[in-house]
Amino acid sequence: MKLYDTKRRKIVEIIAQTPGVLKIYACGPTVYRDAHVGNMRTFLLTDLIKRLAQYQGLKVELIQNITDVGHMADDAGLGGVDEGQADTEDRILVQAGKESIDALTIARKYEESFHKDLALLNIQPATQYPRASESIELMIELIAKLIAKNHAYVSQDGSVLFDAKSFPTYGQISGNKLDELKPGYRFVGKEDSNKKFHADWALWKKSSESRTQLTWQTPWGVGYPGWHIECSAMSLKFLGNKIDIHTGGIDLRFPHHEDERAQSNAASETEVVNHWIHGEHLLFEGRKMSKSSGNVLLVSDVVQKNLDPLAIRLSLMEHRYRSQMDLTWNSINASHKTLNRLREKMQIWSNKEGKIDENYLKQFESALDEDLDTNKGLQILRTLEKDESVSEGNKYQTILKFDEILGLNLTATPENKKEITLTKEIETLLAQRVIARNEKNWQKSDEIRDQLAQLGVGVKDSNNGQEVTPL
Ligand code: AMP
Ligand code: ZN
């Protein structure tokens, strides 16, 4: 397959360095809130690469980390020791304060939602999901190695900083040159007496006495890790120093991936990641999707409207990963209808004899192969759907093959043919939801609705009470 390589600035052929095995590292979620559909777009990019590689006969080793410490409220993460950020501004700690629960309980809660959302979007699980908070030893070892190799130093306040100037090829991913990163540059931080050079960043940060959670004892005192070192430590540990592909959203290109590359390469004395692949951002109804701007769409919002969550997957694939896209309710509704139309046809066609139409399959494969052109792939699917010269049995077999990559469950039962069998579990949940609503416990009632959705049951609230619909 070919993909756009951010560092090489061109579309390149991806060749697995370990024969038969493609090694992918994907930056995972920061588990202080539910992942929004923008985050899911980036996770879907990794899933499409994984599915395509498997389709082409490769085994995929995919590691996706769970960031449960060290990602600060500021988007850039831990750039330095003096960015005007109190160390309590760790995203997990801020949320723990808001919900009055301890930090790791918050993290586990949102980690669980992340896995549920992945499943609803048919995103295949990674090989492993290492947690940052459980990889501290790895980070300490890596930091010690960087100090020993003179790439890092302990600052006056007991933090450990990476010596940016010690890594001459810094900036190759983003194009940012060290000597152009002036003090005060948004991502770098202000002049800081602890730093030898203003662009140095913290690998480990000494914590203040007021920080009582998410701290660890190290040879340099009590503190907590920087966000960037987490990904270096976990990727090197689980995938080694020959990683084929590293994915993430475009915002991670700098400083997160730039700093990660410097750390991993400096420690390993080799170019660890072969291809850096970035997905463009998702807008929602014309505006940037972010928690801070209040413009957020969650997978559960779509489920709540009794729409198939795979309508999100289909809408996202209408655009290639590399172009910014605007998701709207109109497009999600349209995708929901398209899914049902296709499933109805597939159900009818499934009874006919047929074989794969090699011409259509070839067109589809080359669209995906050529930098994941999912938009073109879907156009080919639509043309095939309408092509009267292809038999229905052949359409069925060919689309079934497309769906190995598309992941749209096109053989699922269409909406109008679905029936619900009210099991004991479903009935109990429905009864519990009535009680929750009577008590005006909206959070509980929403949680139960999500549990029902997992069981394929949608609920609508009307004057007659709860009405159930199949999902
Ligand atoms: P976070 O949970 O904030 O660490 O982000 C998880 C992933 O989502 C990262 O790879 C981000 O680059 C990506 N991301 C964040 N916002 C968006 C967006 N609006 N569209 C696409 N990807 C995003
Ligand atoms: Zn990362």
Side-chain angles (χ1 to χ4, degrees):
M1 80 179 84
K2 290 184 189 147
L3 292 171
Y4 183 82
D5 180 319
T6 310
K7 183 164 149 286
R8 296 184 174 87
R9 289 166 181 63
K10 60 179 180 193
I11 295 173
V12 296
E13 183 76 41
I14 307 291
I15 297 165
Q17 298 165 95
T18 313
V21 183
L22 191 71
K23 297 190 178 190
I24 310 179
Y25 185 85
C27 284
T30 308
V31 282
Y32 69 110
R33 50 128 170 92
D34 286 320
H36 55 59
V37 174
N39 304 130
M40 301 313 283
R41 185 184 190 202
T42 297
F43 304 149
L44 173 64
L45 162 64
T46 309
D47 188 54
L48 288 168
I49 297 173
K50 177 174 190 266
R51 282 172 179 264
L52 184 57
Q54 288 172 167
Y55 182 93
Q56 296 175 343
L58 289 167
K59 189 174 166 291
V60 173
E61 267 179 44
L62 168 63
I63 300 298
Q64 183 165 37
N65 69 297
I66 301 289
T67 300
D68 55 2
V69 60
H71 195 169
M72 306 302 267
D74 173 279
D75 265 341
L78 257 179
V81 282
D82 181 12
E83 288 193 309
Q85 290 184 346
D87 58 6
T88 46
E89 283 178 39
D90 188 305
R91 291 183 186 197
I92 310 287
L93 289 178
V94 172
Q95 191 60 26
K98 280 188 193 156
E99 297 191 32
S100 307
I101 326 179
D102 71 282
L104 286 180
T105 307
I106 285 288
R108 298 302 168 259
K109 171 176 149 183
Y110 291 110
E111 184 181 329
E112 201 182 313
S113 311
F114 160 71
H115 289 299
K116 260 196 229 160
D117 288 343
L118 290 187
L120 287 169
L121 291 197
N122 229 350
I123 291 177
Q124 295 180 344
T127 315
Q128 281 193 73
Y129 293 98
R131 295 174 178 138
S133 66
E134 292 169 359
S135 309
I136 301 295
E137 280 303 314
L138 298 175
M139 297 177 210
I140 294 174
E141 272 170 37
L142 183 59
I143 294 169
K145 198 169 182 181
L146 288 168
I147 295 174
K149 286 177 183 274
N150 287 325
H151 285 291
Y153 58 94
V154 183
S155 72
Q156 277 171 20
D157 83 337
S159 295
V160 186
L161 302 180
F162 189 91
D163 180 352
K165 281 187 172 164
S166 75
F167 187 71
T169 66
Y170 187 88
Q172 283 191 352
I173 302 175
S174 61
N176 287 320
K177 303 259 160 45
L178 265 187
D179 48 8
E180 288 165 11
L181 292 174
K182 299 279 182 280
Y185 185 79
R186 183 181 161 219
F187 294 116
V188 173
K190 297 186 271 305
E191 289 272 29
D192 181 343
S193 57
N194 278 304
K195 296 180 179 183
K196 286 206 252 175
F197 178 61
H198 62 263
D200 295 348
W201 65 89
L203 303 175
W204 190 266
K205 202 169 167 182
K206 185 187 161 82
S207 64
S208 65
E209 279 177 17
S210 62
R211 179 166 167 140
T212 54
Q213 296 183 74
L214 302 181
T215 58
W216 291 267
Q217 180 69 52
T218 72
W220 319 287
V222 177
Y224 57 98
W227 176 33
H228 317 312
I229 197 72
E230 299 178 358
C231 284
S232 284
M234 288 184 268
S235 60
L236 287 169
K237 161 77 182 171
F238 291 95
L239 293 173
N241 62 13
K242 271 193 175 165
I243 300 173
D244 298 300
I245 292 179
H246 193 310
T247 56
I250 194 73
D251 55 311
L252 300 192
R253 196 174 37 172
F254 182 83
H256 185 55
H257 288 166
E258 205 68 85
D259 293 356
E260 189 188 324
R261 173 174 173 266
Q263 296 157 174
S264 301
N265 287 11
S268 314
E269 296 179 22
T270 180
E271 189 75 51
V272 174
V273 171
N274 198 4
H275 304 289
W276 293 89
I277 312 293
H278 293 101
E280 253 300 341
H281 266 189
L282 182 74
L283 311 181
F284 180 54
E285 299 288 1
R287 289 196 293 131
K288 183 181 172 201
M289 178 152 347
S290 71
K291 195 180 179 192
S292 55
S293 62
N295 189 38
V296 157
L297 178 74
L298 305 180
V299 176
S300 57
D301 295 330
V302 173
V303 171
Q304 195 169 3
K305 288 188 187 282
N306 288 327
L307 293 168
D308 191 320
L310 290 179
I312 302 173
R313 185 170 174 120
L314 176 56
S315 292
L316 296 176
M317 291 192 301
E318 298 285 1
H319 299 255
R320 197 193 236 148
Y321 74 97
R322 216 146 48 77
S323 58
Q324 207 177 64
M325 74 166 275
D326 186 17
L327 185 69
T328 61
W329 276 117
N330 275 347
S331 62
I332 298 171
N333 280 311
S335 294
H336 179 83
K337 286 191 187 132
T338 305
L339 278 181
N340 274 300
R341 187 190 73 227
L342 287 167
R343 286 173 183 166
E344 276 171 31
K345 289 187 175 168
M346 287 292 275
Q347 199 169 55
I348 297 165
W349 297 341
S350 67
N351 300 318
K352 314 272 164 75
E353 281 294 309
K355 60 177 177 38
I356 289 170
D357 183 303
E358 293 298 337
N359 176 31
Y360 271 103
L361 187 64
K362 218 174 264 156
Q363 286 181 49
F364 179 82
E365 285 172 352
S366 49
L368 273 288
D369 221 41
E370 196 52 52
D371 197 21
L372 279 183
D373 196 342
T374 46
N375 172 274
K376 193 166 173 193
L378 290 170
Q379 281 173 32
I380 294 163
L381 167 61
R382 289 190 171 97
T383 310
L384 170 60
E385 182 194 355
K386 293 190 204 110
D387 189 340
E388 288 176 1
S389 73
V390 180
S391 76
E392 295 187 344
N394 286 8
K395 285 184 187 181
Y396 178 80
Q397 294 297 338
T398 315
I399 292 175
L400 203 60
K401 200 76 189 145
F402 292 2
D403 207 24
E404 286 181 22
I405 301 171
L406 297 176
L408 291 171
N409 280 1
L410 294 177
T411 49
T413 314
E415 209 168 38
N416 59 359
K417 300 271 171 52
K418 277 187 191 164
E419 283 170 17
I420 299 177
T421 313
L422 287 178
T423 59
K424 264 247 140 356
E425 186 185 8
I426 294 173
E427 278 180 345
T428 310
L429 285 169
L430 287 168
Q432 286 172 348
R433 189 164 178 276
V434 171
I435 297 169
R437 290 184 70 78
N438 287 343
E439 289 170 353
K440 299 203 182 329
N441 188 344
W442 309 124
Q443 193 187 340
K444 179 93 195 274
S445 116
D446 282 350
E447 275 169 22
I448 299 174
R449 190 206 54 233
D450 289 347
Q451 282 171 273
L452 285 162
Q454 297 269 319
L455 299 171
V457 180
V459 251
K460 277 189 191 143
D461 297 299
S462 71
N463 292 340
N464 305 327
Q466 290 184 137
E467 285 173 21
V468 291
T469 49
L471 282 183

